[in-house]
Amino acid sequence: MITRVVAGLLLAAGLSVVPAASTSAGGPTVSVADMQFTPATLKTGLGATVTWSFPDSIAHTTTSTQGFWNSGQKSGGASYQRTFGSAGTYPYHCTIHPEMRGSIRVPVSRSGSTSSGWTLRWATGSGATYDVQVRKGHRTWKALKNDTSATSASFHRVGTWSVRARTQIGSSTSGWSPAVKVRSS
Ligand SMILES: [Cu+2]
C-alpha cells in the first residue's frame, strides 16, 4: 500500500522507476542512459553474455556497426542481451543518436602453461570463420590460421607471443580482438 503510494508519487513527479535486478546471469551490463553507453568500451571474456539496460524514457538502440546485432528501439527499463562467443572487437552505436558509440572487445582465451604449451580458443560455438594471427615480441603479425572454421588450436613456440583473432559471419567481419600474450620455454 505504502509502496504503491510512493511509486505513484514518483511517477507524478516525473521520475523514472527503474526495475530492480536485471536477469544478466552474472554477465557484464552496459547502461544506455543520458546519451551514452556506460562503460563505452567493455572488455569481456569469450562466451560472456552482455546485457544492455535501457532505463531512459526515450528510446535508444544497441546496433552493431558491422552488422552482427540490432536490438531495435528500447526504453523504460527494457533490456537486450547478446552472447559474445567469438573473439574480436565489436563497435556499436545507437541508430537514433549516432553520436552514441560503444565497443565490446573479446580476446582469445588461453589455457596451459609456460612448460606444457597452450590451447588457444577464439570461439565457443560454430557457424563462423576466423582469422588468427600471432607475433613474437613486437615483430609483424603473421597468420596462424586464415579463414578457418576451427575454433581452437594448440600453440607451443618458444618465447613470448601475442595472439589476436577476428570473426566473420556472412558479410559481417569484426575488428581484431585485443591481443593476449602467451609465453613458452
Ligand atoms: Cu540513443
Side-chain angles (χ1 to χ4, degrees):
M1 181 65 164
I2 289 171
T3 305
R4 292 177 68 126
V5 169
V6 170
L9 288 171
L10 287 171
L11 288 170
L15 300 173
S16 61
V17 178
V18 180
S22 65
T23 55
S24 63
T29 296
V30 177
S31 168
V32 191
D34 300 330
M35 302 300 283
Q36 57 191 347
F37 297 102
T38 308
T41 299
L42 175 65
K43 186 172 167 180
T44 192
L46 187 68
T49 297
V50 175
T51 300
W52 284 265
S53 66
F54 297 82
D56 279 1
S57 56
I58 64 163
H60 300 287
T61 77
T62 167
T63 304
S64 164
T65 305
Q66 298 151 334
F68 286 103
W69 73 89
N70 184 6
S71 67
Q73 297 191 16
K74 301 280 187 187
S75 63
S79 64
Y80 178 80
Q81 292 189 320
R82 184 176 191 279
T83 297
F84 288 82
S86 38
T89 290
Y90 300 90
Y92 64 91
H93 60 277
C94 171
T95 57
I96 302 164
H97 312 104
E99 68 275 20
M100 294 175 62
R101 299 193 160 270
S103 175
I104 307 293
R105 301 178 183 205
V106 184
V108 172
S109 77
R110 323 150 272 189
S111 59
S113 70
T114 301
S115 56
S116 66
W118 299 88
T119 297
L120 306 174
R121 177 169 294 282
W122 48 87
T124 58
S126 57
T129 56
Y130 314 94
D131 298 316
V132 185
Q133 293 187 338
V134 296
R135 71 171 178 177
K136 189 174 190 180
H138 290 94
R139 297 178 193 176
T140 57
W141 290 101
K142 292 194 170 145
L144 180 67
K145 304 273 185 186
N146 265 335
D147 201 26
T148 182
S149 56
T151 56
S152 68
S154 57
F155 187 81
H156 196 173
R157 296 184 195 173
V158 172
T160 299
W161 293 78
S162 297
V163 183
R164 66 181 187 179
R166 66 182 176 189
T167 296
Q168 181 166 12
I169 301 175
S171 59
S172 295
T173 305
S174 77
W176 289 106
S177 64
V180 293
K181 286 195 165 92
V182 291
R183 188 167 68 84
S184 292
S185 55

